[in-house]
Amino acid sequence: MSERPIQILMIDDDEDDFFLVTELLRDISPGQYVLEWAPTYQKGIEAIERKTHDIFLVDYRLGPHTGLDILHHFQEMQYSMPVIMLTGKGDYAIDQEAMKAGAYDYLVKGEITADLLERSIRYALDEYKHLRTIEESEKKYFGIFEKAHDLIILADCDKNIIDANPAALRRLQYQKEEILKLHLRDLFTIPEQSEQFLSNICNDGVAGTQEYEFKTHDGKKLFVLINAVMLDEAEQIFLCVIQDITEKKREEQEKQHQEKFVITGRIARVIAHEVRNPLTNILLAVSQFKEEDDVAANEESDLYTDIIERNCTRINQLITELLDSTRMIELHTAEHGINELIENALKLSQDRMQLHEIRLSKQLVTPDIKVNVDDEKVVIAFLNIIINAIEAMAPGKGMLTVATRRSQDKAQVQISDNGIGIPEDKLSRLFDPFYTNKAKGTGLGLTSTQNILLNHKGTIHVDSEQGKGTTFTITLPAV
């Protein structure tokens, strides 16, 4: 038996808008929606009181009334249903007022498309279903609370955490008794974000879904989306449903890195072609010039021609290094253990670690995870990261931590230091060719490292905090 069509009531005094929405709903999925039209405020109230509709589209302007009056009528009836407000372009204040009054979403007339309409309807219905599930019964609520995959936290407007579900405890790495001693602001990385969030929920009773930065018990940064609602106005208790989007953002960032790398390679090849041709001509001209009798007999001319040749050679060398660091490389792959590769890289860096008096902490998984790689190239990639870590730490105070683990079908390596860290505004440029903070560095080491890992279908991600250190996370497909 097919699923019952979704019953929609549209309260709007403009018949053209009704016909437009009717056509859009037909385009989305014929037969999935049944749309009823109430052309006046009064007819809309009568239809609402029949309680036969699943969702409501309400125009803000209804003659002497407004869509807010409709929302207030729902409140008076104590009848909670999903309402989408239809407003005019540029009515931002009205949009916000409608959301505060209980609208689930708003759509701007003149900008409504089939995709936008369906997404809004689906969002409102899903949100309504979620809230109804919580409100149905205390027993059912706590079942959801305990078993939910999303992080759920109960808090009050004094910023005290009064409960947290198991998913929140696991992801934030707290024991129950520990998290109950915290203020909600302790979970935020950025104090301004916590104050903004608390102000919204405590003053308005609702906080629209927004992205924030959280930190775990051990200081690890999480990117989260928080949807919060007031559960008890008298007690000022609100519920936060928190979606961890850290991995999603990381995947997006890695995709951007890959796209950027491909573009960089193309630019490098263009530069090589356009620069090497005139460079060759310059070298040929200088060579011919040096053979002139007057020039050959003049020591000062010899000095200047040598400078020209030397710098042309240097430019050519830099172009070669740029091309090597960004082009697809030939791999000679075989199965190797990820621990074996790390150990080889650490051996090659041993002298440098001893010179800088760096302590080493190894947390290697057992049994070893096999990966199909070109071992020489992957060891070079690991070595580049290890050397950068060593040079970022103060001699005699540095701690290099190397850890391996399996993450689903991937081998993961984390190389961490307690060095000076990298400013956030510079993280995005870390793998750019010739970008370096070292006085004598070429800025191609990490570019080459990224190239090696991308050629192995691997990824590299960086987390850093100034004054605390940096962690490189590398993943490679496991065999």
Side-chain angles (χ1 to χ4, degrees):
M1 185 175 177
S2 61
E3 195 175 308
R4 179 179 72 84
I6 295 169
Q7 305 293 317
I8 304 174
L9 176 65
M10 183 173 180
I11 307 173
D12 195 319
D13 55 11
D14 190 328
E15 190 172 5
D16 290 342
D17 288 337
F18 168 67
F19 283 124
L20 173 64
V21 171
T22 301
E23 290 303 313
L24 290 175
L25 289 174
R26 280 203 192 111
D27 290 344
I28 293 168
S29 180
Q32 187 176 355
Y33 302 98
V34 174
L35 182 65
E36 181 183 343
W37 180 39
T40 66
Y41 170 82
Q42 192 55 46
K43 289 188 179 296
I45 293 298
E46 291 170 5
I48 289 169
E49 290 180 349
R50 293 202 305 269
K51 296 186 177 181
T52 57
H53 299 91
D54 301 306
I55 190 168
F56 300 81
L57 302 176
V58 180
D59 189 12
Y60 179 77
R61 303 193 182 282
L62 296 168
H65 298 279
T66 70
L68 296 179
D69 296 324
I70 296 287
L71 292 171
H72 294 150
H73 188 75
F74 274 107
Q75 293 170 355
E76 290 168 8
M77 289 175 62
Q78 296 185 344
Y79 183 40
S80 177
M81 292 297 289
V83 176
I84 299 171
M85 190 70 71
L86 306 178
T87 65
K89 188 172 183 179
D91 290 338
Y92 180 76
I94 292 173
D95 299 337
Q96 296 303 305
E97 191 176 1
M99 297 298 282
K100 291 176 184 177
Y104 277 59
D105 201 356
Y106 63 86
L107 294 172
V108 178
K109 285 188 173 185
E111 297 181 2
I112 301 175
T113 63
D115 288 342
L116 185 61
L117 179 60
E118 182 178 38
R119 187 159 60 246
S120 184
I121 289 171
R122 285 294 170 196
Y123 165 78
L125 288 170
D126 289 345
E127 186 73 3
Y128 170 72
K129 184 179 178 182
H130 177 68
L131 293 175
R132 288 291 297 167
T133 301
I134 293 176
E135 293 167 0
E136 273 176 8
S137 70
E138 187 174 333
K139 181 179 178 180
K140 196 169 183 179
Y141 160 71
F142 277 110
I144 295 169
F145 184 82
E146 292 293 316
K147 297 175 184 177
H149 294 295
D150 284 337
L151 288 62
I152 301 177
I153 290 177
L154 283 174
D156 59 31
C157 282
D158 290 328
K159 305 174 185 175
N160 299 309
I161 296 175
I162 57 177
D163 207 353
N165 73 334
L169 297 174
R170 283 194 304 272
R171 194 69 185 93
L172 297 171
Q173 299 178 346
Y174 282 98
Q175 297 296 322
K176 188 70 167 275
E177 58 274 12
E178 291 175 328
I179 205 166
L180 296 184
K181 295 176 183 177
L182 298 181
H183 289 186
L184 191 62
R185 65 168 175 263
D186 296 330
L187 299 180
F188 286 81
T189 303
I190 304 170
E192 292 79 7
Q193 287 189 353
S194 68
E195 296 308 320
Q196 176 199 6
F197 173 78
L198 263 298
S199 175
N200 288 345
I201 188 65
C202 294
N203 294 333
D204 304 332
V206 64
T209 304
Q210 290 189 44
E211 183 179 313
Y212 299 96
E213 286 185 20
F214 268 22
K215 56 187 176 184
T216 63
H217 188 267
D218 61 358
K220 185 178 178 182
K221 186 187 294 183
L222 298 181
F223 294 97
V224 298
L225 290 175
I226 308 179
N227 187 10
V229 292
M230 188 70 72
L231 291 183
D232 188 329
E233 289 191 11
E235 297 293 330
Q236 290 284 282
I237 294 173
F238 58 91
L239 175 140
C240 303
V241 180
I242 303 164
Q243 183 185 358
D244 181 7
I245 59 169
T246 307
E247 200 59 38
K248 181 181 177 183
K249 283 187 74 73
R250 180 171 292 184
E251 288 170 3
E252 289 174 356
Q253 192 178 50
E254 286 165 356
K255 185 179 178 182
Q256 289 171 359
H257 279 316
Q258 291 173 5
E259 291 171 352
K260 186 176 178 181
F261 185 81
V262 171
I263 293 169
T264 301
R266 290 175 187 160
I267 293 171
R269 288 190 289 277
V270 171
I271 290 173
H273 177 75
E274 295 299 328
V275 173
R276 274 181 166 164
N277 286 340
L279 205 61
T280 302
N281 292 335
I282 291 170
L283 285 169
L284 288 171
V286 170
S287 178
Q288 186 69 31
F289 182 66
K290 287 175 73 174
E291 291 178 3
E292 298 288 335
D293 293 337
D294 292 346
V295 176
N298 190 324
E299 289 185 7
E300 190 175 349
S301 297
D302 238 16
L303 173 67
Y304 290 122
T305 53
D306 284 347
I307 291 172
I308 294 171
E309 286 182 323
R310 191 163 58 251
N311 282 280
C312 284
T313 303
R314 175 60 180 150
I315 292 169
N316 194 52
Q317 182 185 350
L318 285 172
I319 290 171
T320 301
E321 290 176 3
L322 175 61
L323 284 172
D324 289 343
S325 68
T326 57
R327 67 157 55 105
M328 295 295 288
I329 54 180
E330 184 180 353
L331 301 177
H332 303 285
T333 62
E335 283 192 17
H336 296 275
I338 197 72
N339 294 346
E340 166 200 340
L341 298 170
I342 278 290
E343 292 283 12
N344 288 342
L346 289 171
K347 284 177 186 174
L348 293 173
S349 65
Q350 191 170 8
D351 290 345
R352 202 177 291 240
M353 278 197 283
Q354 288 176 350
L355 181 65
H356 287 76
E357 300 178 41
I358 302 296
R359 291 170 293 148
L360 175 64
S361 171
K362 292 190 289 188
Q363 302 164 13
L364 307 183
V365 67
T366 53
D368 204 351
I369 307 166
K370 294 294 182 180
V371 289
N372 192 34
V373 297
D374 185 322
D375 61 323
E376 288 185 8
K377 291 183 173 60
V378 171
V379 167
I380 289 170
F382 289 163
L383 183 61
N384 283 339
I385 298 170
I386 290 169
I387 289 172
N388 277 352
I390 293 169
E391 292 178 350
M393 294 183 284
K397 297 180 181 179
M399 168 64 83
L400 180 70
T401 303
V402 180
T404 59
R405 70 183 186 95
R406 179 180 285 274
S407 178
Q408 297 178 346
D409 59 344
K410 298 183 184 299
Q412 188 178 89
V413 179
Q414 283 193 327
I415 301 172
S416 304
D417 65 64
N418 62 344
I420 57 175
I422 304 165
E424 192 163 350
D425 60 334
K426 294 182 179 178
L427 279 174
S428 61
R429 298 189 57 197
L430 208 56
F431 299 101
D432 289 357
F434 302 118
Y435 179 75
T436 180
N437 290 323
K438 300 175 186 176
K440 297 182 180 180
T442 63
L444 291 172
L446 286 178
T447 306
S448 177
T449 295
Q450 185 186 46
N451 186 22
I452 291 169
L453 295 171
L454 289 178
N455 274 274
H456 284 87
K457 302 188 186 309
T459 63
I460 181 168
H461 178 79
V462 189
D463 291 299
S464 188
E465 188 173 347
Q466 280 190 279
K468 292 191 176 180
T470 302
T471 297
F472 282 81
T473 302
I474 303 105
T475 62
L476 290 165
V479 176

